[in-house]
């Protein structure tokens, strides 16, 4: 590649990183300042600065505003950012591994398994001693990992090579089976349980608090770091498994690491927020249109952009029909489905012109 082209590409990537970071900072700030309950901006700045540094910028701020900003609004914004980042980078990893732009964090069935665990906790109303309110996210994460193990088990029984097509098929089969069990539980529940389960399945980050942010944070850090270190493997696997093996990539180990990291992120995200679709499907696809196929850039930029997208979607969800709220999964579907349709049509038209 000529030096001017390399320089131009590098500048483009730098602009992508800068733009995505500015977008994330902007929507987090806007989400903190704007909501159905109006609080003066100086009060918000004072509360955040005082809590973080102990410095008081104003003499007196109502205690109710402290509760709204520090205990409700800020953790909600950060939780939305963490969930969006998790789903987006997991989607980018699944799409790269499976070499399919239609793949997303729910392809392998981990989301369905995590959802089943959460639905079981809501339906049977049980609590694990020592976990209390964390029973639901704990069971959800565990059931997501168990689902991944079941998928691996099915694949091993049918194909020793861990072929991509077999992984997808096993995930689809298991997701369909788990979906039927969830439907059965919903039909057996009372009206109140049915409403609670369906609302959870739609997805929400409302009224979770700092405890859920703390629960998600280690998974975002560990899973994100795990996937970010696998960009060479994902780039090689884009050429096919045989070609990746020829360039020195340990294909089987790479698959397990990538699937494990992406499933960890997906299970944790579903555990704290419910089922939120289209983030892991649309965001990586849009990022690739700008950065190209190199996962060294696709993974981190997808993570940042996914965080910004879900924070923006949550702002819409909690303000568009204020004082009531919409489930955030409804907003992501309303935005993501048409957007992805446009991307598919554009891609088809581009291929037609190339032909």
């Amino acid at each position: 590649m000529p030096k001017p082209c390399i320089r131009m590409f590098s500048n483009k990537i730098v602009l992508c990183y800068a733009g995505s970071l500015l977008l994330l900072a902007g929507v987090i700030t806007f989400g903190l300042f704007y909501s159905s309950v109006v609080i003066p901006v100086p009060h918000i700045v004072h509360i955040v600065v005082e809590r973080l540094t102990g410095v008081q910028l104003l003499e007196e701020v109502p205690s109710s505003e402290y509760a709204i900003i520090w205990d409700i609004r800020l953790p909600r914004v950060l939780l939305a950012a963490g969930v969006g980042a998790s789903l987006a980078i997991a989607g980018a990893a699944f799409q790269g591994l499976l070499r399919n732009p239609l793949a997303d964090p729910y392809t392998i069935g981990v989301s369905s398994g995590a959802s089943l665990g959460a639905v079981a906790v809501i339906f049977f109303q049980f609590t694990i001693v020592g976990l209390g309110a964390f029973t639901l996210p704990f069971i959800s994460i565990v059931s997501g990992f168990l689902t991944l193990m079941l998928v691996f088990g099915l694949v091993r029984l049918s194909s020793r090579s861990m072929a991509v097509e077999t992984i997808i098929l096993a995930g689809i089969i298991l997701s369909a089976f788990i979906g039927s069990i969830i439907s059965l539980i919903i039909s057996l529940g009372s009206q109140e349980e049915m409403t609670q389960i369906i609302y959870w399945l739609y997805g929400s980050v409302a009224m979770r608090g700092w405890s859920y942010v703390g629960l998600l944070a280690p998974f975002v850090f560990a899973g994100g770091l795990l996937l970010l270190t696998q960009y060479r493997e994902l780039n090689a696997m884009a050429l096919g498994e045989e070609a990746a093996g020829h360039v020195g990539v340990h294909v089987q180990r790479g698959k397990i690491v990538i699937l494990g990291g992406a499933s960890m992120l997906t299970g944790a995200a579903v555990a704290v927020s419910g089922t939120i679709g289209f983030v892991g499907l649309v965001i990586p696809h849009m990022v690739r249109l700008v950065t190209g196929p190199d996962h060294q850039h696709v993974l981190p930029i997808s993570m940042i952009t996914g965080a910004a997208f879900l924070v923006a979607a949550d702002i819409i969800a909690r303000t568009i029909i204020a004082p009531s709220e919409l489930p955030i999964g409804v907003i992501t579907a309303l935005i993501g489905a048409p957007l992805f349709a446009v991307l598919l049509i554009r891609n088809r038209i581009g291929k037609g012109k190339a032909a």
Side-chain angles (χ1 to χ4, degrees):
M1 184 182 292
K3 287 185 178 180
C5 293
I6 294 174
R7 193 179 302 113
M8 185 172 64
F9 179 75
S10 300
N11 292 337
K12 182 180 178 183
I13 294 298
V14 170
L15 287 174
C16 287
Y17 278 105
S20 58
L21 286 170
L22 285 174
L23 177 63
L24 178 58
V27 294
I28 286 177
T29 303
F30 187 70
L32 191 59
F33 288 171
Y34 179 73
S35 189
S36 56
V37 178
V38 179
I39 297 176
V41 171
H43 289 195
I44 297 174
V45 174
H46 166 82
I47 292 168
V48 174
V49 171
E50 183 187 354
R51 291 291 189 180
L52 293 177
T53 66
V55 177
Q56 291 190 344
L57 302 178
L58 300 174
E59 290 185 1
E60 187 176 351
V61 173
S63 58
S64 60
E65 293 183 358
Y66 273 94
I68 291 172
I69 297 300
W70 189 257
D71 296 329
I72 298 176
R73 199 178 295 179
L74 182 57
R76 176 172 184 161
V77 168
L78 294 179
L79 186 65
V83 171
S86 299
L87 294 176
I89 191 174
F94 279 130
Q95 289 174 10
L97 176 65
L98 303 178
R99 301 190 297 279
N100 189 338
L102 296 178
D104 74 345
Y106 305 103
T107 303
I108 309 300
V110 177
S111 174
S112 299
S115 298
L116 177 59
V119 167
V121 172
I122 295 172
F123 180 77
F124 293 107
Q125 295 292 317
F126 67 89
T127 302
I128 298 177
V129 177
L131 289 178
F134 287 104
T135 298
L136 188 147
F138 176 79
I139 294 296
S140 184
I141 292 171
V142 170
S143 61
F145 274 110
L146 288 176
T147 304
L148 179 63
M149 295 301 102
L150 284 173
V151 170
F152 281 159
L154 287 174
V155 172
R156 283 293 185 188
L157 287 173
S158 60
S159 173
R160 293 287 181 183
S161 63
M162 293 281 287
V164 168
E165 296 80 5
T166 310
I167 295 173
I168 295 176
L169 183 60
I172 292 172
I173 292 171
L174 211 54
S175 293
F177 179 71
I178 292 173
S180 64
I181 296 177
I182 292 174
S183 299
L184 176 63
I185 292 174
I186 292 174
S187 64
L188 294 175
S190 64
Q191 186 68 35
E192 182 181 351
E193 290 170 339
M194 187 184 303
T195 302
Q196 188 178 0
I197 291 172
I198 291 174
Y199 188 83
W200 187 89
L201 289 174
Y202 282 153
S204 176
V205 291
M207 304 306 293
R208 298 296 198 265
W210 286 108
S211 57
Y212 276 73
V213 176
L215 176 70
L216 179 64
F219 291 97
V220 176
F221 179 79
L225 186 62
L226 198 64
L227 293 183
L228 289 173
T229 60
Q230 297 296 307
Y231 71 89
R232 292 187 183 88
E233 285 76 4
L234 285 168
N235 287 341
M237 289 181 189
L239 304 173
E241 294 180 19
E242 187 175 347
H246 289 160
V247 298
V249 172
H250 195 301
V251 176
Q252 301 304 324
R253 184 177 61 194
K255 280 184 185 179
I256 292 173
V257 171
I258 293 166
L259 286 172
S263 299
M264 178 196 304
L265 289 165
T266 304
V270 171
V272 299
S273 66
T275 305
I276 300 175
F278 287 98
V279 180
L281 185 65
V282 175
I283 298 301
H285 198 80
M286 293 179 64
V287 169
R288 282 191 182 89
L289 293 178
V290 180
T291 66
D294 188 356
H295 287 88
Q296 184 178 6
H297 306 299
V298 170
L299 293 174
I301 294 177
S302 294
M303 199 172 188
I304 299 167
T305 309
F309 173 74
L310 203 63
V311 172
D314 182 55
I315 294 171
I316 296 172
R318 57 184 161 94
T319 58
I320 192 170
I321 57 170
S324 299
E325 291 187 11
L326 287 174
I328 193 173
V330 173
I331 302 298
T332 58
L334 289 174
I335 297 173
L339 187 59
F340 193 68
V342 170
L343 292 173
L344 284 178
I345 294 170
R346 179 182 172 182
N347 188 46
R348 176 61 63 85
I349 292 174
K351 288 183 177 178
K353 289 182 178 179

